Amino acid sequence: MPLVRPFRTSFGVQSTRDVLLVHVITDSGEGWGECAAHAEPFYNEEFTESAMMVLRRWLVPAVRSLGDVTADAVAGACRQVKGYRAAKAGLEMAVLDAELRAASSSFAARLGATRTAIDVGVSVGITPTVDELVEQVAGYVTDGYRRVKLKIMPGWDLAPLQAVRSAFPDLALQVDANAGYEPGDADLLAELDRFGMLMIEQPYAPDELQAHAALAARMATPICLDESILSVGHALTALDMGACTIVNIKVGRVGGVLEAVRIHDACRERGVPVWCGGMLETGVGRAANVALAALPGFTFPADISASERYWRRDITEPFVLQGSTIEVPAGPGLGVTVDPDVLQELGAVVEPQEDVLA
Ligand code: OSB
Ligand code: MG
């Protein structure tokens, strides 16, 4: 799917999104899920074609062999396969959607949502010039976004931040480095304190927990981890080490909405704030993210923007901005409907899986 505008991060630029959907047909109905993996293994190890292959060869057969297929059983059935958390998340989402649609219950209700609308922000990619960045941020502020996240990387940090902060002195601001820095860059990163930001997200490589803890000890700006946190265990380890004080939760990165809820619960028990990250999803994955972000421990605005920020035409009814919030779907399952005409226009390829029936 073509993105409305290219999205550049420290790991590369995307102008289109390779979308992998899982469509589950059960005795009682059907469901959709989205695998958040990207076309290239640049955000993390997983990529769309690898996720698709693992689904076909192992994950779908493992779930089909369950007999009684329930969303609660998906993660266990998939445990033998290591990694591929976005693929697992897409499959679990589709099974859960089918289950909840059949029971006329929403994702929000099932996950434990306590809000009917969520606060959202916008994640702004690296632009060719600082002027273009300020212009883009101004457009999003006019749209209603009250929290902006800037992507940073070595060579694109102090100057763009200075410009955006001067233009918008009171804007809630945060940055995301997508692991683009090295522990040797700590002096430079410490200078970011002067911009009065909500947090700095994932400055170093995912396995650099000690370096993140050392940075947290010398910075006033809270450290948030994204790529480092793949499970409840990772979250607790990072928190115990002082590697972060805020956790970004992404469904695709942690293996599914149910593990995402467990991370939320563990953080909430410790009084640690979490927020919902995004991976440029279509309406399918976005619906799950919005439901998740409505849980009580999600206290920072989510990286879930309106559909029009990503797509000229989404594959479901669009999510729209209301003030600086997005309404939580209340209908059965994900609460959105995939439009088959849009899928066809996009040239979606359907790969039936009857052949792998156990
Ligand atoms: O690190 O949060 C990230 C998009 C793709 C991959 C990684 C990230 C992002 C974003 C955009 O920041 C969030 C969104 O609007 O979906
Ligand atoms: Mg991130």
Side-chain angles (χ1 to χ4, degrees), residues 222-225 229 235-236 238-240 243-249 263-275 296-300:
I223 307 293
C224 168
L225 291 176
I229 309 296
L236 296 180
L239 291 167
D240 281 347
C244 65
T245 51
I246 302 171
V247 176
N248 167 311
I249 300 183
I263 296 174
H264 159 274
D265 294 348
C267 289
R268 189 160 183 245
E269 203 172 301
R270 294 178 168 219
V272 172
V274 304
W275 59 290
F298 286 81
T299 53
F300 285 101

Side-chain angles (χ1 to χ4, degrees), residues 18 22 66 71 74 78 86 97 104 154 175 209 235:
D18 259 18
V22 181
L66 277 172
V74 169
C78 294
D97 185 37
S104 286
V175 289
L209 290 184

Side-chain angles (χ1 to χ4, degrees), residues 33-291:
E34 179 167 352
C35 167
H38 289 193
E40 291 102 0
F42 298 165
Y43 165 76
N44 63 16
E45 297 86 340
E46 206 168 346
F47 60 101
T48 314
E49 284 180 83
S50 72
M52 194 149 144
M53 183 187 216
V54 166
L55 278 161
R56 288 179 67 91
R57 284 180 65 172
W58 293 289
L59 302 179
V60 171
V63 167
R64 292 184 78 149
S65 72
L66 277 172
D68 189 19
V69 176
T70 65
D72 278 325
V74 169
C78 294
R79 190 154 21 236
Q80 191 175 20
V81 173
K82 307 307 182 297
Y84 298 98
R85 287 177 173 82
K88 292 171 180 176
L91 182 52
E92 183 193 71
M93 193 185 298
V95 171
L96 184 54
D97 185 37
E99 202 171 293
L100 293 173
R101 278 180 208 269
S104 286
S105 175
S106 68
F107 257 62
R110 166 67 185 265
L111 300 183
T114 53
R115 287 187 283 254
T116 55
I118 58 156
D119 280 324
V120 302
V122 60
S123 175
V124 184
I126 292 162
T127 48
T129 65
V130 169
D131 284 350
E132 281 167 82
L133 179 69
V134 174
E135 205 174 293
Q136 273 192 30
V137 171
Y140 290 130
V141 168
T142 302
D143 289 344
Y145 294 103
R146 290 197 300 221
R147 189 234 70 191
V148 168
K149 173 170 118 178
L150 303 182
K151 291 292 188 179
I152 57 168
M153 62 185 287
W156 184 263
D157 37 42
L158 295 173
L161 261 168
Q162 182 64 59
V164 171
R165 184 42 97 208
S166 312
F168 305 95
D170 303 321
L171 183 63
L173 206 55
Q174 61 190 70
V175 289
D176 185 0
N178 284 111
Y181 293 85
E182 292 185 17
D185 298 321
D187 287 347
L188 171 87
L189 291 166
E191 289 186 51
L192 301 184
D193 270 344
R194 70 169 186 260
F195 300 113
M197 296 190 293
L198 296 177
M199 67 187 87
I200 170 168
E201 183 179 343
Q202 197 72 45
Y204 305 138
D207 58 343
E208 294 279 10
L209 290 184
Q210 291 192 327
H212 282 107
L215 186 66
R218 64 175 286 195
M219 284 191 75
T221 311
I223 307 293
C224 168
L225 291 176
D226 172 351
E227 286 91 327
S228 293
I229 309 296
L230 309 183
S231 64
V232 172
H234 281 111
L236 296 180
T237 301
L239 291 167
D240 281 347
M241 289 178 60
C244 65
T245 51
I246 302 171
V247 176
N248 167 311
I249 300 183
K250 281 184 187 167
V251 171
R253 195 192 69 230
V254 305
V257 281
L258 300 180
E259 180 70 9
V261 170
R262 284 190 285 270
I263 296 174
H264 159 274
D265 294 348
C267 289
R268 189 160 183 245
E269 203 172 301
R270 294 178 168 219
V272 172
V274 304
W275 59 290
C276 187
M279 294 279 285
L280 312 176
E281 288 90 346
T282 71
V284 173
R286 191 166 312 283
N289 291 347
V290 171

